[in-house]
Amino acid sequence: MIFKRKLYDKMLEWKREFDGKTALLIKGARRVGKSTLVEEFAKNEYESYILIDFSIASKEVKELFHDLSDLNFLFLRLQMIYRVNLTERKSVIIFDEVQMQPLARQAIKHLVKDRRYDYIETGSLLSIKKNIKDIVIPSEETRLQLYPLDYEEFRWALGDTVTIPMLRDAYERMISLGDDLNRRLLRDFRLYMLVGGMPQAVDTYRSTNNLSIVDQVKRNILELYEDDFRKIDPTGRAGMLFDAIPAELNKNASRYQVSSVIAGEKEERVREILADMQDSMTVYIAYHADNPSAGMAFHKDPRRYKLFLCDTGLFTTLAFKDRDFTENEIYEKLLNDKLGTDLGYLYENIVAQMLKTAGNELFYYTFPKESSNQNYEVDFLIARKNKICPLEIKSSGYKRHASLDAFQDKFSERVLRRYLIYTKDVRKDRDIFCLPVYMVPFL
């Protein structure tokens, strides 16, 4: 199944505005749909295309990029090997999984300068040292990121084009939806949290309507990620850090506690591993903002952070990884919010995912309570109009917001709006906007 993706419009903008002056690089985690999207774009927007999948390309194809002195020969051989006729300025050449042939990526500089054809690259783990060793990274790249299907794309995949525009209108006008409609909307949203936005998982749900089968698909994807982490760090530490993400979030601690996962590991080495994990785009990192302001990136604490998965559907499966398979009964209870456990970590991950997909960097803030050993914690901070908006996440309809209130007292001049993200209907509590979790994409 080929799903409608919002990135397609940005790809059209690149084609129209740059007209071959840059190559387009689509980054994303494995199995997020990069290859499918790019090939669909090539079919629709060009007269012809050649797709070179470097994960399976022949030795002959790979060796063509060792010598670029004769581009006429290069293009002739590619057309003969792939049996495709290329037309100047009307054809595109796709370098799929380009990280597996670094010389092809380096060639982009010369190929773009030639201007005969357009070029689109796809890849993951693009900045891992072994994938860029001894090559010059081309500056002639326009880079875009493809994430798992967001909630609106998920609704489109299920044939629903009405819900999200309706919710956006309700958000903009702060209109109450009513308890009955809110409950139904939350159930629909929890389905997204369980299935997730990986195209293969969504397609499996559409075709089988069986969440256990969907869960197996997600387990297979997680195994691929584990294989990648072994490439990043053969000692297995990256995989250990990844597997522990649900447990670390469930602790409700103020940071990811590496020492509880890997004892005695040096901080510098952990940072290197995290940088590579982040490059895989399978995890998102939220840093502690030591000085909450519009320029939070200048005040992040690299030693204090939280880790989230790129897809909450994968997160759900990872959280129940101790079972051979996640039974339909568990999924049914999660879907109806009746599982006898605190689901706060699931909601925190989905909010992180939605904020990141919408283009926000992730930050949070903690500060001590007076006369107490405990801390206030603002789950997320987003910058808007040279000010900041603090978000407090609740996995229920609980309406207290002590952290938001204390943050307002401390930084009132810096705050634009305060948001309580929870599971109840739209409402306003003084100057606090109380929003159901499915409205986070509109912030």
Side-chain angles (χ1 to χ4, degrees):
M1 180 68 185
I2 297 174
F3 299 117
K4 181 181 178 182
R5 305 301 300 269
K6 295 177 181 178
L7 198 69
Y8 195 103
D9 290 337
K10 292 184 179 180
M11 295 169 70
L12 282 173
E13 289 179 13
W14 161 79
K15 184 175 186 293
R16 180 176 61 253
E17 293 178 7
F18 288 95
D19 190 29
K21 295 183 180 68
T22 70
L24 179 63
L25 174 64
I26 306 293
K27 301 171 59 179
R30 292 185 67 185
R31 295 297 178 90
V32 82
K34 301 183 297 295
S35 301
T36 301
L37 174 63
V38 167
E39 186 166 14
E40 183 68 10
F41 184 79
K43 288 178 181 177
N44 295 340
E45 308 301 333
Y46 292 91
E47 285 188 3
S48 64
Y49 68 94
I50 290 176
L51 190 154
I52 305 173
D53 183 348
F54 284 111
S55 67
I56 59 173
S58 67
K59 181 180 179 181
E60 178 186 9
V61 169
K62 291 181 179 179
E63 288 181 347
L64 287 173
F65 296 92
H66 287 253
D67 182 0
L68 298 178
S69 61
D70 189 348
L71 291 182
N72 290 328
F73 177 75
L74 170 68
F75 297 138
L76 176 63
R77 292 299 300 136
L78 288 177
Q79 290 177 89
M80 292 179 66
I81 293 170
Y82 289 93
R83 299 180 182 178
V84 173
N85 290 320
L86 297 175
T87 305
E88 288 193 26
R89 302 304 319 129
K90 294 182 180 180
S91 296
V92 62
I93 300 176
I94 300 168
F95 294 165
D96 198 18
E97 302 294 353
V98 71
Q99 78 278 358
M100 302 188 76
Q101 175 48 302
L103 287 177
R105 189 178 182 196
Q106 179 174 264
I108 286 295
K109 176 181 180 65
H110 307 286
L111 296 174
V112 166
K113 184 178 180 180
D114 177 73
R115 290 296 307 279
R116 261 177 273 192
Y117 313 114
D118 282 358
Y119 300 90
I120 302 178
E121 308 163 85
T122 77
S124 55
L125 302 170
L126 286 162
S127 298
I128 302 301
K129 292 178 183 177
K130 70 176 184 178
N131 292 333
I132 57 175
K133 184 180 179 181
D134 300 327
I135 71 165
V136 177
I137 301 299
S139 58
E140 297 80 4
E141 288 178 337
T142 297
R143 302 179 185 184
L144 297 176
Q145 295 185 347
L146 183 64
Y147 297 99
L149 273 72
D150 68 17
Y151 187 45
E152 184 169 21
E153 291 170 329
F154 180 77
R155 298 310 309 174
W156 290 343
L158 299 185
D160 175 12
T161 59
V162 175
T163 296
I164 302 304
M166 180 269 291
L167 291 179
R168 185 177 287 108
D169 181 67
Y171 164 79
E172 291 173 352
R173 297 196 286 160
M174 284 297 290
I175 297 173
S176 172
L177 300 169
D179 290 339
D180 289 341
L181 178 56
N182 178 65
R183 277 193 292 270
R184 181 177 68 78
L185 290 168
L186 275 171
R187 192 177 190 277
D188 290 344
F189 184 74
R190 283 196 295 268
L191 175 65
Y192 172 61
M193 293 172 65
L194 297 177
V195 174
M198 303 305 285
Q200 189 179 359
V202 176
D203 190 36
T204 301
Y205 174 75
R206 290 180 73 259
S207 60
T208 68
N209 200 36
N210 187 312
L211 291 171
S212 285
I213 299 176
V214 173
D215 183 73
Q216 187 56 56
V217 169
K218 292 186 291 177
R219 285 174 185 266
N220 293 340
I221 295 172
L222 287 171
E223 287 180 7
L224 287 175
Y225 290 173
E226 296 282 3
D227 290 342
D228 284 342
F229 293 141
R230 279 189 285 272
K231 297 174 186 175
I232 292 172
D233 177 33
T235 67
R237 289 170 294 186
M240 292 169 66
L241 293 171
F242 181 80
D243 285 348
I245 290 175
E248 287 296 309
L249 285 178
N250 195 36
K251 289 179 181 178
N252 201 27
S254 62
R255 70 176 77 182
Y256 188 105
Q257 297 172 332
V258 174
S259 60
S260 66
V261 181
I262 308 172
E265 187 57 72
K266 293 182 179 180
E267 184 176 308
E268 289 185 6
R269 178 55 185 151
V270 172
R271 287 189 196 177
E272 290 178 4
I273 295 172
L274 287 177
D276 288 342
M277 292 175 67
Q278 193 172 23
D279 184 68
S280 75
M281 294 184 65
T282 59
V283 301
Y284 303 141
I285 303 179
Y287 287 101
H288 189 275
D290 290 344
N291 182 21
S293 62
M296 286 179 286
F298 296 105
H299 304 287
K300 71 179 184 182
D301 186 343
R303 297 165 300 176
R304 284 198 283 177
Y305 52 83
K306 293 185 177 184
L307 296 182
F308 301 94
L309 259 67
C310 68
D311 179 71
T312 304
L314 295 178
F315 182 96
T316 304
T317 295
L318 188 62
F320 291 96
K321 193 180 179 182
D322 57 329
R323 296 173 180 264
D324 289 336
F325 64 92
T326 303
E327 299 163 343
N328 259 319
E329 180 183 359
I330 293 175
Y331 268 110
E332 188 63 29
K333 288 182 178 179
L334 282 169
L335 185 59
N336 292 293
D337 205 13
K338 295 186 181 298
L339 192 64
T341 185
D342 180 14
L343 299 181
Y345 61 161
L346 283 174
Y347 284 91
E348 197 172 345
N349 199 93
I350 191 64
V351 171
Q353 179 186 341
M354 291 189 292
L355 290 175
K356 185 68 176 178
T357 302
N360 300 283
E361 294 302 317
L362 302 179
F363 298 96
Y364 70 101
Y365 184 68
T366 61
F367 55 108
K369 295 181 178 180
E370 294 182 5
S371 305
S372 173
N373 292 326
Q374 296 180 323
N375 288 330
Y376 291 112
E377 180 168 332
V378 175
D379 296 304
F380 296 101
L381 297 167
I382 55 177
R384 296 290 185 271
K385 297 181 180 179
N386 294 320
K387 293 202 172 185
I388 52 177
C389 300
L391 280 66
E392 190 170 346
I393 315 301
K394 302 290 185 182
S395 61
S396 65
Y398 196 50
K399 299 175 184 176
R400 290 186 59 189
H401 35 72
S403 293
L404 286 180
D405 293 338
F407 188 87
Q408 176 72 12
D409 292 340
K410 190 175 178 68
F411 299 107
S412 59
E413 294 182 356
R414 306 183 188 182
V415 174
L416 178 65
R417 278 188 175 184
R418 295 187 288 163
Y419 295 102
L420 177 69
I421 308 301
Y422 69 157
T423 60
K424 294 297 182 181
D425 193 9
V426 178
R427 63 188 291 267
K428 196 171 181 184
D429 183 358
R430 293 173 294 166
D431 65 332
I432 295 178
F433 293 82
C434 304
L435 300 175
V437 63
Y438 47 74
M439 287 190 174
V440 168
F442 310 137
L443 295 180

